[in-house]
């Protein structure tokens, strides 16, 4: 009766149009007549040339119910060269679309098609434009009560907003421009609603280098300060947190981002153009963002990707054959859980892996699950259905070996990848997303199903805002209910769903072209090998093992896709910096030496310019000619070396010369495992041999000198004694004259005097 009243109160023309439209819908349901109804003559099916660009800026509510008033705001732009007169903007409501492919076909259709596009609703709701000169833009607002749209059963309805008018070259009224969108209609909450999971990615590009300050705090050095732009109010990451805090989402976080922002809160440095570093100044911005994020994730599910968000497809296709590469995934996964719990103080699941764009093949699945994850987040354009079911099955699909493929819907996941900065594009994207979500729910099956949305990894600000608008539209809808990612993975799978992982030949070629090459993983292996040899000599290996270990994970990040040159430069700089550190521990170059004598000591100095001590080093010297110069009776000798930070230690090696002449000596450091460390140093020792004959001659000369000295000493002593005797026998002036003594026995006396 209400319907009859509406018809009776309406003007004749709109009434005829509505009855005609309903007749078309009824006839279309009859197979025999459907072809007659929807097969207009070629001239009627022709697309009219468009001289007006119609843009829909906003549409509210996006999913109306009975009693609502639909308001559509937009603009019309006369792109032609003639003035349009007697124009009006009208709304056209088509019949409910029967499936998802109809939604896509309608969205992709351009231009007005008479006989295909529906007629306008009551002209009373049209917006009149008396004149629209060339190149001029005119705003409009259509306001229509929902009960005037003649929406019948639940479904997705096509809306067309068109501008009709006349020009000098086209004096009869024609549709000069049209824009199509969709109106999801389910006024009452369904008894069986679909579960919908929206993964909300919090991921950014690599910003931290392997460099650290020389202070005890090891202040990190950033490539630049661009991350602060994303964190500050209005920035991309700030918007992701601000929008996400009030949405029913599952947070999917790269822990490297948490560590990076947390490092900013403790002080950081930034590379400058001159190669030096300057103090970072965005500490407060980082603190505010972390505080907001910590509050936003409370009570929400958090999924932590492996540290650095490694490129699983690149690992599977190019990295797995480079020794040691796959071994990086396990520590990256372990660090992920720790990072979330340490920085955000909430538990995190590490049971999900997410290949780029959800594209998988058997090797990617094997790599994705090698670190313990049991769920692979893929997409329906990779793990495709054959269509035999007649509906879209739930996201969870068992693919063998205890692994579940969580299949995100490709249409919903890619809905916001375009330019959402344009308000018209954003509005159309939201309505198309809602239309697909309702079409999924209305598919013919008695089973309650679970769907997943996995959008692009790093949405722009406008894309994030559009995503949020769509999710809010679902909150007000009656056909879905939110669920987290863990619940989606645990949902009962449809036994008829596809579980066959596509072969390697089906992997998208455009994605393969963006993968990290084998050379990248070889460089990463070289860095890891250098690090392993370096850390064994350090008293505090964590000071290099932690920052370089994190950097190795960053080197294989998905963020390098599409940035091959930047990724290559980053890997080169990491290796160069590490080699520079290792060269701070070295044997100091030594000048040539002369070894005079049969034996002596040769000093060799080891310098440590690091801030920490080094130990477990062995310094080995080796003679190139042991028959001429030996160390400890052989051709070489070695001593263990420990050197304090910023000190030099001199080690002395006893040497023996067995023959004269120059001998080349090599000094080389080794680790305790016998692996050479650093550069070897070569110097020449000039050895001088001293023979026994020479030693005898020298000894004889010394003896003669000693004897000569003794003789001289004895001679001087006799002279002194004689002088003393003569002095004692001189007569005194006071003594009387005496006679000569008897000659008896005087011979001896004479002999002595003589």
């Amino acid at each position: 009766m209400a319907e009859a009243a509406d018809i009776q109160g309406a003007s004749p023309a709109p009434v005829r149009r509505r009855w005609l439209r309903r007749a078309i819908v009824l006839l279309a349901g009859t197979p025999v007549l459907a072809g007659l109804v929807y097969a207009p003559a070629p001239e009627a099916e022709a697309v009219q040339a468009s001289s007006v660009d119609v843009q829909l800026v906003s549409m509210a509510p996006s999913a109306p119910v009975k009693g609502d008033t639909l308001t559509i705001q937009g603009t019309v732009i006369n792109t032609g060269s003639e003035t349009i007169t007697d124009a009006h903007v009208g709304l056209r409501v088509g019949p409910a679309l029967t499936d998802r492919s109809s939604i896509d076909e309608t969205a992709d259709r351009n231009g007005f098609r008479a006989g295909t596009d529906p007629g306008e609703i009551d002209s009373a709701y049209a917006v009149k434009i008396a004149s629209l000169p060339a190149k001029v833009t005119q705003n409009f607002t259509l306001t229509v009560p929902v009960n005037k749209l003649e929406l019948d059963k639940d479904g997705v309805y096509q809306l067309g907003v068109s501008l009709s008018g006349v020009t000098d070259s086209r004096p009869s009224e024609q549709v000069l421009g049209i824009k199509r969108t969709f109106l999801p209609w389910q006024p009452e909450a369904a008894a069986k609603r679909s579960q919908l999971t929206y993964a909300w990615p919090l991921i950014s590009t690599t910003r931290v280098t392997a460099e650290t300050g020389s202070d005890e705090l090891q202040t990190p050095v950033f490539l630049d300060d661009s991350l602060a732009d994303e964190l500050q109010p209005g920035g991309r990451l700030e918007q992701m947190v601000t929008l996400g805090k009030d949405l029913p989402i599952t947070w999917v976080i790269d822990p490297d981002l948490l560590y990076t922002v947390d490092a900013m809160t403790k002080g950081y440095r930034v590379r400058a153009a001159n190669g030096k570093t300057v103090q970072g100044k965005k500490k407060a911005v980082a603190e505010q963002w972390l505080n907001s994020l910590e509050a936003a994730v409370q009570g929400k599910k958090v999924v932590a990707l492996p540290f650095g968000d490694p490129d699983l497809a690149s690992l599977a296709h190019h990295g797995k054959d480079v020794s040691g590469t796959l071994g990086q995934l396990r520590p990256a996964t372990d660090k992920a859980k720790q990072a979330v719990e340490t920085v955000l103080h909430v538990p995190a699941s590490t049971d999900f892996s997410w290949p780029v764009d959800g594209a998988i093949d058997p090797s990617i699945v094997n790599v994705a699950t090698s670190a313990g994850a049991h769920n692979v987040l893929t997409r329906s354009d990779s793990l495709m259905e054959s269509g035999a079911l007649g509906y879209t099955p739930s996201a969870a699909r068992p693919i063998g070996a205890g692994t579940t493929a969580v299949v995100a819907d490709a249409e919903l996941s890619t809905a916001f990848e375009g330019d959402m900065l344009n308000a018209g594009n954003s509005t159309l994207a939201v309505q198309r997303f809602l239309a697909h979500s309702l079409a999924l729910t209305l598919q013919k099956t008695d089973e309650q199903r679970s769907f997943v949305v996995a959008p692009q990894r790093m949405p722009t600000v406008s894309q994030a805002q559009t995503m949020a608008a769509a999710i809010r539209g679902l909150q007000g809808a009656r056909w879905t209910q939110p669920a987290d990612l863990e619940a989606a993975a645990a949902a009962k799978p449809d036994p008829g769903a596809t579980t066959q992982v596509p072969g390697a030949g089906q992997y998208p070629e455009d994605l393969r072209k963006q993968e990290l090459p084998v050379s990248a993983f070889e460089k990463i292996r070289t860095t890891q090998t250098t690090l392993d040899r370096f850390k064994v000599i350090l008293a505090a290996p964590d000071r290099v093992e932690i920052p370089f270990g994190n950097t190795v994970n960053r080197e294989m990040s998905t963020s390098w896709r599409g940035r091959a040159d930047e990724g290559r430069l980053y890997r080169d700089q990491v290796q160069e910096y590490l080699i520079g550190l290792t060269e701070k521990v070295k044997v100091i170059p030594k000048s040539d030496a002369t070894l005079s004598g049969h034996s002596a000591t040769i000093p060799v100095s080891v310098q440590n310019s690091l801030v920490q001590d080094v130990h477990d080093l062995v310094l080995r010297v080796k003679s190139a000619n042991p028959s001429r110069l030996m160390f400890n009776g052989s051709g070489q000798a070695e001593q263990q070396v420990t050197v304090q930070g910023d000190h030099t230690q001199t080690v002395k090696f006893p040497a023996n010369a067995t023959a004269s002449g120059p001998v080349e000596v090599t000094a080389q450091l080794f680790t305790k495992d016998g692996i050479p460390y650093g550069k070897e140093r070569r110097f020449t020792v000039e050895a001088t041999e001293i023979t026994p004959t020479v030693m005898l001659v020298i000894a004889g000369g010394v003896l003669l000198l000693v004897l000569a000295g003794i003789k001289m000493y004895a001679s001087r002593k006799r002279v002194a004694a004689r002088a003393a005797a003569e002095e004692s026998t001189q007569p005194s002036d006071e003594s009387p004259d005496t006679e000569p003594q008897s000659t008896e026995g005087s011979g001896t006396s004479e002999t002595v005097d003589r």
Side-chain angles (χ1 to χ4, degrees):
M1 295 296 295
E3 184 177 288
D6 287 342
I7 294 173
Q8 291 172 2
S11 60
V15 170
R16 287 194 299 271
R17 282 196 296 268
R18 284 200 295 274
W19 278 108
L20 177 61
R21 187 162 61 247
R22 290 178 180 178
I24 291 174
V25 173
L26 292 173
L27 290 172
T30 305
V32 176
L33 298 178
L36 297 176
V37 174
Y38 284 100
E43 62 272 18
E45 187 63 36
V47 179
Q48 289 187 201
S50 175
S51 61
V52 174
D53 181 20
V54 181
Q55 293 291 327
L56 308 183
V57 175
S58 67
M59 177 172 164
S62 55
V65 296
K66 292 179 180 179
D68 282 345
T69 296
L70 182 66
T71 301
I72 300 176
Q73 293 182 322
T75 62
V76 288
I77 306 171
N78 184 355
T79 59
S81 58
E82 297 180 288
T83 297
I84 301 171
T85 58
D86 295 328
H88 68 272
V89 177
L91 182 64
R92 300 168 183 267
V93 182
L97 301 173
T98 56
D99 52 34
R100 300 184 72 189
S101 61
S102 299
I103 296 174
D104 293 334
E105 189 276 330
T106 300
D108 295 338
R109 196 164 69 237
N110 295 315
F112 177 76
R113 298 189 181 190
T116 298
D117 283 304
E120 291 184 17
I121 66 168
D122 193 333
S123 61
Y125 301 104
V127 175
K128 297 186 181 300
I129 300 176
S131 176
L132 186 64
K135 314 306 178 186
V136 170
T137 300
Q138 177 72 49
N139 298 328
F140 67 85
T141 299
L142 289 173
T143 304
V144 185
V146 172
N147 61 7
K148 298 298 183 182
L149 300 179
E150 301 181 9
L151 305 175
D152 297 321
K153 62 181 181 179
D154 296 351
V156 176
Y157 289 82
Q158 172 191 328
L159 291 186
V161 177
S162 62
L163 181 133
S164 302
V166 299
T167 63
D168 290 342
S169 61
R170 289 179 283 187
S172 60
E173 182 180 280
Q174 297 185 46
V175 176
L176 302 177
I178 188 170
K179 183 68 68 177
R180 299 177 184 85
T181 187
F182 306 98
L183 185 70
W185 176 250
Q186 185 170 320
E188 303 293 338
K192 182 188 72 212
R193 295 189 291 170
S194 300
Q195 293 184 335
L196 192 136
T197 299
Y198 208 110
W200 195 256
L202 215 56
I203 300 171
S204 190
T205 56
T206 295
R207 288 334 201 287
V208 183
T209 72
E211 300 175 37
T212 58
S214 59
D215 55 349
E216 287 298 320
L217 295 177
Q218 290 189 281
T219 303
V221 177
F222 284 37
L223 292 170
D224 51 47
D225 217 359
S226 60
L227 181 58
D229 296 334
E230 295 190 50
L231 301 176
Q232 64 189 6
R236 189 182 71 83
L237 290 172
E238 186 274 339
Q239 282 291 288
M240 291 295 292
V241 172
T242 300
L243 295 168
K245 68 178 181 178
D246 297 322
L247 299 175
I249 57 173
T250 295
W251 296 87
V252 180
I253 301 177
D254 175 9
D256 181 28
L257 175 61
L258 300 183
Y259 268 177
T260 300
V261 181
D262 187 56
M264 293 175 68
T265 67
K266 299 171 182 175
Y268 66 105
R269 300 190 68 80
V270 179
R271 278 184 186 170
N274 59 5
K276 297 181 179 180
T277 63
V278 296
Q279 187 68 38
K281 300 179 180 180
K282 301 297 183 179
K283 178 180 177 180
V285 171
E287 289 176 343
Q288 178 60 44
W289 186 82
L290 269 188
N291 291 337
S292 298
L293 176 59
E294 184 177 352
V297 298
Q298 298 304 313
K300 303 283 185 67
K301 290 292 183 180
V302 176
V303 169
L305 300 174
F307 190 94
D309 187 20
D311 191 335
L312 300 176
S314 294
L315 283 166
H317 296 157
H318 304 293
K320 65 180 181 181
D321 295 329
V322 179
S323 61
T325 299
L326 293 186
Q328 302 292 342
L329 274 180
R330 171 60 71 177
T333 300
D334 294 340
K335 283 185 285 190
K337 188 176 184 67
Q338 179 184 7
V340 174
E341 294 177 352
T342 300
V343 178
L344 298 181
H345 309 103
V346 295
S349 170
T350 56
D351 205 24
F352 290 83
S353 59
W354 188 12
V356 172
D357 285 2
I360 60 172
D361 61 24
S363 63
I364 294 174
V365 172
N366 290 337
V367 168
T369 56
S370 63
H374 296 91
N375 302 299
V376 180
L377 189 55
T378 181
R379 213 164 66 184
S380 61
D381 52 354
S382 181
L383 193 62
M384 292 187 289
E385 291 297 317
S386 63
L389 285 177
Y391 60 87
T392 304
S394 285
R397 319 279 175 84
I399 55 175
T403 301
T404 298
V406 182
V407 184
D409 186 83
E411 288 275 4
L412 300 181
S413 298
T414 59
F416 310 111
E417 290 186 351
D419 176 20
M420 297 296 112
L421 192 60
N422 181 291
N425 293 344
S426 176
T427 298
L428 295 180
V430 169
Q431 295 306 125
R432 188 171 181 177
F433 178 90
L434 296 177
H436 271 288
S437 68
L438 177 55
L440 278 169
T441 301
L442 294 178
Q443 289 173 340
K444 294 181 179 180
T445 175
D446 294 331
E447 296 295 329
Q448 183 185 43
R449 289 165 298 155
S450 174
F451 303 114
V452 172
V453 182
Q456 58 272 34
R457 268 175 156 75
M458 290 184 279
T460 64
V461 171
S462 58
Q463 288 171 348
Q465 291 169 342
T466 306
M467 287 160 49
I471 298 173
R472 285 193 292 267
L474 283 177
Q475 286 181 282
R478 278 69 58 195
W479 56 88
T480 63
Q481 58 186 11
D484 60 64
L485 197 54
E486 288 185 336
K492 180 182 177 181
D494 192 314
T498 298
T499 58
Q500 182 64 44
V501 175
Q506 295 175 266
Y507 189 80
E509 189 61 30
D510 58 332
L511 292 181
R512 194 180 292 274
K513 290 178 180 179
Q514 293 183 348
E515 292 175 351
L516 299 176
V518 174
S519 59
F521 294 102
E522 290 174 341
K523 174 71 75 173
I524 293 170
R525 179 181 59 184
T526 300
T527 299
Q528 185 63 55
T529 301
T530 306
L531 176 62
D532 291 341
R533 294 178 179 177
F534 182 44
K535 68 185 182 183
V536 298
I537 73 168
L538 302 176
D542 286 353
R543 289 181 62 87
V544 297
E545 189 172 14
I546 292 176
F548 276 99
N550 291 342
T551 301
V552 166
N553 295 142
R554 294 172 179 132
E555 287 180 305
M556 56 182 71
S557 172
T558 58
S559 68
W560 299 118
R561 281 187 174 247
R563 304 166 58 226
D565 292 340
E566 292 93 329
R568 188 182 307 110
L569 178 61
Y570 184 82
R571 292 188 294 272
D572 289 344
Q573 290 176 339
V574 169
Q575 177 67 4
E576 290 171 4
Y577 178 65
L578 179 56
I579 290 175
L581 289 180
T582 65
E583 291 176 346
K584 289 181 179 291
V585 180
K586 61 185 178 182
V587 178
I588 297 178
K590 182 175 176 58
S591 58
D592 295 342
T594 300
L595 182 63
S596 299
H598 183 67
S599 63
T601 58
I602 296 178
V604 179
S605 296
V606 178
Q607 184 182 58
N608 175 19
S609 299
L610 300 172
V611 297
Q612 64 168 300
D613 300 350
V614 295
H615 60 185
D616 290 336
L617 276 171
V618 174
L619 177 61
R620 184 181 300 169
V621 292
K622 183 178 181 180
S623 171
N625 190 349
S627 63
R628 181 174 293 170
L629 182 67
M630 295 188 297
F631 296 96
N632 292 336
S634 65
Q636 67 181 27
E638 62 184 36
Q639 294 187 41
Q640 288 191 346
V641 179
T642 297
V643 188
Q644 293 181 345
D646 203 23
H647 279 72
T648 299
Q649 179 73 35
T650 299
V651 183
K652 296 182 179 180
F653 290 90
N656 301 92
T658 58
S660 299
V663 179
E664 186 179 69
V665 176
T666 301
Q668 172 73 62
L669 286 171
F670 290 83
T671 66
K672 63 180 180 180
D673 299 325
I675 299 174
Y677 182 90
K679 297 179 180 178
E680 65 177 21
R681 300 296 186 184
R682 297 177 182 270
F683 58 93
T684 300
V685 174
E686 185 71 33
T688 304
E689 181 187 9
I690 304 177
T691 64
T693 302
V694 174
M695 292 296 293
L696 183 60
V697 172
I698 293 175
V702 172
L703 179 60
L704 289 175
L705 289 174
V706 172
L707 291 175
I710 293 173
K711 184 176 180 181
M712 292 177 62
Y713 176 76
S715 176
R716 288 178 181 177
K717 190 172 182 181
R718 284 198 301 274
V719 171
R722 186 180 299 116
E726 290 176 356
E727 182 178 351
S728 63
T729 56
Q730 285 291 333
S732 176
D733 293 342
E734 297 179 356
S735 60
D737 293 337
T738 60
E739 291 294 328
Q741 297 290 325
S742 171
T743 60
E744 184 180 356
S746 62
T748 304
S749 175
E750 289 177 356
T751 301
V752 172
D753 292 341
R754 188 180 304 111

